[in-house]
Amino acid sequence: MRDSFGREIDYLRVSVTDRCNLRCIYCMPPDGVEWKPHAGILSFEELTALCAVFAELGIRKVKVTGGEPLVRRGLPSFIAALKRTAGIEQVTLTTNGLLLGEHLPALLDAGLDAVNISLDTLDPVTFGRITRYPYHTENGAPANKALEQILSALRSASSAGLRVKVNCVPIAGVNEEDILPLAALARELPIAVRFIELMPLGRAASFEGLNALEILSRISEGGVFAPINNGDSSGVENRVLGNGPAVYYAAHGWQGQIGIIAAISRGFCERCNRLRLSADGYLSPCLSSASKTPLRALVRGGDERGLPVSRIPAARKDAILETIRAVIFAKPQSHSFSGIYNIKTEHSDKTMWNIGG
Ligand code: SAM
Ligand code: SF4
């Protein structure tokens, strides 16, 4: 379905949990957050049934996110169910990678199409500082082990034939020195390493993100890179790129690519194709928008106990279709992260662990 600005909306990001096994400094408070009550979280049956309704309106790609999606039990079966849903062509996952190795065989069996692994550093001390893993690091050892786990899962996923992207959010004074070593992962592996401008949401507003030009100048110390798309990878013949908003670069002799997502300095709202669904069933048309439309009561037909729903009855489905259409129609023309960086308060009620990035 097209929105009122003519954009085709075919991509849904589904957060399956607000829980996480990390506490990234730009995302979560040190002591975590008060988790949403279990009964308020949509069951996998409800989410699958809801995604089938989205598919009727033209959603073709679903990204499963969180919190940390792999902390929710039964995730591979949910992915398999999405893959069986008529109209849904692609199911991908965004994870911090800690539990990826453990679940990789089941995810491959489920038919997962691609995985994004969030990794902001290859240095154990910086990893501990950013993720607070294991929340009170006394020495480098535990973070070291966690990093090894993530990198090993990354290599296994790539060699198993899964499309792999690494996502890093560069932050001034925190992981600037990690940009080049992370980028170099794409020299040896056929993966895309992407750098995302920090969005001033919630806790992130108190950090200063690097902008695309600053990131590029760091990367260019590692080789001569040429752009291979312009933030629209649809025409580019490469199985790694997908259809996201990144501008990709390649260098001679590198197996993979480097991507830059200039969400703030350049923006890509004119091509935005996505909606976001939170774990408790709120639908949001834009990361920066205050609007969130509750779908849970519609899915449950007013029964808030959260009974399993494998198919939504026709009358309820019509109401859901109408509600989703209205959200798509009201999708704003662009995000409102106005002052580039250092917006301390404007979006402080919005959090990435809740919306799923
Ligand atoms: N836990 C999973 C993970 O880390 O991949 C999925 C959820 S996490 C919120 C999704 C992505 O959002 C991560 O890559 C994270 O780095 C990114 N993220 C979180 N806060 C951000 C911010 N303020 N600006 C840009 N990206 C952010
Ligand atoms: Fe957890 Fe992902 Fe947020 Fe880090 S960015 S705290 S891994 S949800």
Side-chain angles (χ1 to χ4, degrees):
M1 172 180 168
R2 288 187 184 273
D3 71 3
S4 60
F5 300 97
R7 296 170 296 196
E8 187 67 42
I9 307 301
D10 62 0
Y11 177 35
L12 178 68
R13 294 181 69 97
V14 178
S15 170
V16 295
T17 179
D18 55 341
R19 298 179 186 222
C20 189
N21 46 2
L22 294 180
R23 300 279 183 277
C24 300
I25 49 174
Y26 54 85
C27 182
M28 282 226 187
D31 299 324
V33 292
E34 199 175 317
W35 308 126
K36 290 173 182 154
H38 190 69
I41 301 293
L42 292 178
S43 69
F44 280 144
E45 289 89 345
E46 289 167 335
L47 282 173
T48 308
L50 198 47
C51 285
V53 180
F54 276 101
E56 288 189 27
L57 285 174
I59 293 295
R60 297 288 167 260
K61 287 162 272 182
V62 176
K63 167 84 72 199
V64 177
T65 177
E68 171 48 42
L70 287 170
V71 302
R72 183 160 176 186
R73 234 178 294 146
L75 191 82
S77 307
F78 172 55
I79 286 173
L82 288 179
K83 286 289 291 182
R84 289 192 298 270
T85 301
I88 300 208
E89 294 163 3
Q90 225 184 80
V91 181
T92 61
L93 174 71
T94 292
T95 170
N96 60 34
L98 263 183
L99 300 174
L100 180 61
E102 187 183 319
H103 295 289
L104 188 60
L107 292 167
L108 291 168
D109 281 352
L112 184 71
D113 291 293
V115 65
N116 289 6
I117 301 173
S118 303
L119 186 58
D120 292 324
T121 177
L122 292 176
D123 174 64
V125 175
T126 312
F127 181 85
R129 182 178 166 204
I130 294 176
T131 65
R132 301 193 183 98
Y133 180 87
Y135 315 138
H136 41 74
T137 313
E138 280 154 18
N139 55 51
N144 211 3
K145 193 161 165 267
L147 259 179
E148 277 167 24
Q149 234 169 278
I150 296 167
L151 286 169
S152 150
L154 186 160
R155 289 176 196 281
S156 305
S158 175
S159 56
L162 207 53
R163 282 186 288 145
V164 176
K165 293 174 188 166
V166 168
N167 287 342
C168 164
V169 180
I171 301 176
V174 177
N175 61 344
E176 288 173 78
E177 303 310 320
D178 296 285
I179 293 175
L180 206 47
L182 277 167
L185 287 172
R187 188 174 13 217
E188 312 304 336
L189 295 169
I191 63 174
V193 179
R194 313 190 311 169
F195 297 90
I196 304 172
E197 287 180 347
L198 181 77
M199 285 172 260
L201 285 165
R203 306 189 73 76
S206 53
F207 293 96
E208 194 188 331
L210 266 64
N211 67 36
L213 281 178
E214 292 166 332
I215 296 167
L216 262 178
S217 87
R218 301 252 170 185
I219 290 167
S220 58
E221 292 166 24
V224 179
F225 288 89
I228 50 177
N229 76 332
N230 191 28
D232 171 12
S233 51
S234 49
V236 178
E237 207 49 59
N238 191 310
R239 71 180 194 85
V240 179
L241 299 185
N243 299 294
V247 176
Y248 284 97
Y249 299 82
H252 183 68
W254 286 47
Q255 289 204 51
Q257 300 78 28
I258 300 300
I260 310 270
I261 302 185
I264 307 290
S265 66
R266 182 171 180 261
F268 37 75
C269 301
E270 74 279 3
R271 282 175 283 107
C272 184
N273 60 348
R274 58 194 61 187
L275 299 174
R276 292 179 158 81
L277 183 68
S278 70
D280 51 354
Y282 284 93
L283 183 62
S284 178
C286 173
L287 255 185
S288 83
S289 144
S291 143
K292 44 181 212 166
T293 301
L295 297 182
R296 187 179 66 205
L298 289 174
V299 173
R300 292 182 179 173
D303 184 341
E304 281 300 304
R305 284 171 302 165
L307 297 172
V309 175
S310 52
R311 266 188 84 227
I312 296 172
R316 250 190 262 170
K317 194 174 92 178
D318 287 346
I320 295 172
L321 281 167
E322 269 325 294
T323 307
I324 299 173
R325 276 194 195 103
V327 171
I328 292 177
F329 202 69
K331 186 173 162 72
Q333 187 168 20
S334 64
H335 66 60
S336 58
F337 301 131
S338 37
I340 310 229
Y341 290 113
N342 297 325
I343 303 165
K344 303 288 181 204
T345 54
E346 192 183 346
H347 300 283
S348 55
D349 61 325
K350 279 259 186 171
T351 52
M352 282 292 197
W353 55 264
N354 188 18
I355 325 169

